[in-house]
Amino acid sequence: MDLIDLRSDTVTKPTPGMRKAMAAAEVGDDVYGEDPTVNALQERVAALLGKEAAVWVPTGTMANQIALGSLAGMGEEIICDRNSHVINYEGGAVSALWGVQSLVVDGARGIFTPEAVKAALRASQSEHDPRQKAVAIENTHNRGGGSIWPLQQLEAVADVARGAGLAVHLDGARIWNAHVATGVSLQKWCEKADTVSVCLSKGLGAPAGSLVATTRERTKAVRRLRKRVGGGLRQAGVIAAAGMYALDHHLQRLAEDHQSAKKLAASVPFAWHTPETNILLADVANAPALVEAARQEGVLLNAVSASRIRAVTHLDFPISQVEEAARRLRKAAARL
Ligand SMILES: Cc1ncc(COP(=O)(O)O)c(C=O)c1O
């Protein structure tokens, strides 16, 4: 029985067309800025997101962290959602790498309000207070179940941050999904952000690769931090070519992943949170037990807590497989 892997949209493998593009890529030394494929990808993504420039990095974690490291430093503070990726899944990097502390606010499915940011702002600039430097937003929100920010709310949060002299970082690992699900342009989603990180290795199906998009001036700091954390790759064009291919062939098809998520939720009687994009969450009695039962039936899921499971739809899970996945999951539930 072939396993159906719904643990994450990162489990996809490069398609034959993508591998061909990688093999044929023109390359150079990217630390010298001489890799034509990396340069083309950087320019393309910057233009897509409406920013002056972009810097290619191998991972989303590195993209987030060097973006944040360019905005805040030792003894300074960022404001972010309690469940945000930047503080929950990146190895404590904001504090370990940059000496930055985070002040968390509580969002609904990861989406917080301008009022919450106002309440988190430190009124005093006294010697007692850490300097607040940035607000980090995640769209779509991973732990929120692929939730999409209402555009106006995102803009209002950014305006409060800007008004208080703070920068805005957008973790847009899955901004592509927000764009395809809403029809809101990528430029509009990113307009209010000083730094944006995007991933090519999630829904877009590349084996690796992320970018930080920002001003041309800030890319100097971002490139410096990339070097510092060992992210200066040499002939990275072989990987960047996969990203180029993904943008050409895999962006619009994200709509299928969103449809698959809805179809799966409708076909399996779990307490699903209403899917907005490609990430499905369900509250269950015993998440590890259900994950194990599903594995025995040939479906891989993640337990994100003792009582919550996650399933993610992606490029290697065509909508034609949804019925089979649903059948296996119903069988798994019946085992418990
Ligand atoms: C919202 C979000 N940001 C950043 C990342 C980090 O990406 P990477 O795994 O490439 O470091 C992820 C990974 O899943 C993510 O979901």
Side-chain angles (χ1 to χ4, degrees):
M1 173 173 55
D2 282 345
L3 280 176
I4 298 177
D5 192 346
L6 302 180
R7 288 171 302 166
S8 174
D9 49 9
T10 58
V11 300
T12 59
K13 300 199 175 129
T15 62
M18 184 179 277
R19 286 175 188 266
K20 220 167 144 190
M22 294 172 77
E26 273 188 58
V27 296
D29 188 330
D30 182 44
V31 175
Y32 287 103
E34 290 173 3
D35 189 301
T37 309
V38 171
N39 290 342
L41 178 63
Q42 288 176 164
E43 278 167 29
R44 181 173 180 184
V45 169
L48 269 177
L49 305 184
K51 299 295 173 200
E52 283 177 8
V55 179
W56 184 90
V57 294
T59 68
T61 298
M62 192 183 291
N64 276 336
Q65 292 303 326
I66 64 179
L68 289 169
S70 80
L71 299 173
M74 195 71 85
E76 296 177 334
E77 187 170 73
I78 59 163
I79 297 172
C80 60
D81 174 66
R82 181 178 300 280
N83 285 308
S84 57
H85 199 280
V86 292
I87 61 160
N88 284 284
Y89 297 114
E90 301 187 8
V94 275
S95 59
L97 295 176
W98 320 122
V100 171
Q101 69 178 37
S102 38
L103 182 59
V104 297
V105 293
D106 287 301
R109 302 189 80 188
I111 295 163
F112 49 88
T113 60
E115 291 72 30
V117 178
K118 273 186 204 151
L121 291 173
R122 296 178 186 273
S124 146
Q125 291 290 308
S126 80
E127 67 189 40
H128 299 279
D129 293 281
R131 289 230 164 79
Q132 294 185 308
K133 298 300 272 195
V135 172
I137 294 171
E138 187 176 319
N139 192 27
T140 67
H141 199 284
N142 181 340
R143 251 178 106 90
S147 48
I148 306 172
W149 279 72
L151 179 62
Q152 281 184 341
Q153 189 169 339
L154 186 149
E155 291 181 338
V157 160
D159 287 344
V160 170
R162 289 272 180 93
L166 275 66
V168 176
H169 172 65
L170 172 61
D171 177 350
R174 295 186 181 80
I175 197 69
W176 321 109
N177 298 81
H179 162 58
V180 168
T182 60
V184 172
S185 71
L186 290 161
Q187 288 95 322
K188 194 74 195 156
W189 278 125
C190 300
E191 195 176 349
K192 300 254 176 182
D194 296 280
T195 52
V196 182
S197 60
V198 293
C199 290
L200 303 163
S201 57
K202 313 275 174 330
L204 294 185
S210 290
L211 294 102
V212 179
T214 184
T215 58
R216 193 166 303 287
E217 181 59 27
R218 187 174 295 282
T219 59
K220 293 179 197 155
V222 167
R223 283 185 74 92
R224 183 172 173 75
L225 296 180
R226 181 182 76 167
K227 193 77 182 93
R228 182 173 293 167
V229 297
L233 271 69
R234 302 296 176 170
Q235 286 70 34
V238 285
I239 314 175
M244 278 292 207
Y245 183 93
L247 288 171
D248 287 336
H249 299 277
H250 298 162
L251 181 55
Q252 293 312 324
R253 67 148 304 285
L254 291 174
E256 178 182 334
D257 295 346
H258 302 164
Q259 235 185 310
S260 298
K262 286 197 175 77
K263 192 169 171 198
L264 189 65
S267 314
V268 182
F270 293 170
W272 299 108
H273 301 203
T274 308
E276 293 181 53
T277 52
N278 68 327
I279 301 179
L280 277 164
L281 299 175
D283 293 321
V284 299
N286 184 339
L290 180 56
V291 167
E292 177 51 26
R295 194 188 63 76
Q296 286 176 21
E297 293 298 336
V299 179
L300 302 183
L301 304 170
N302 264 339
V304 291
S305 75
S307 58
R308 186 170 287 177
I309 55 150
R310 186 182 84 163
V312 186
T313 59
H314 53 71
L315 179 65
D316 288 352
F317 176 62
I319 198 160
S320 56
Q321 270 191 16
V322 171
E323 268 171 37
E324 175 61 16
R327 191 188 64 75
R328 294 183 193 183
L329 288 177
R330 287 193 298 267
K331 259 178 98 182
R335 280 168 169 266
L336 299 176

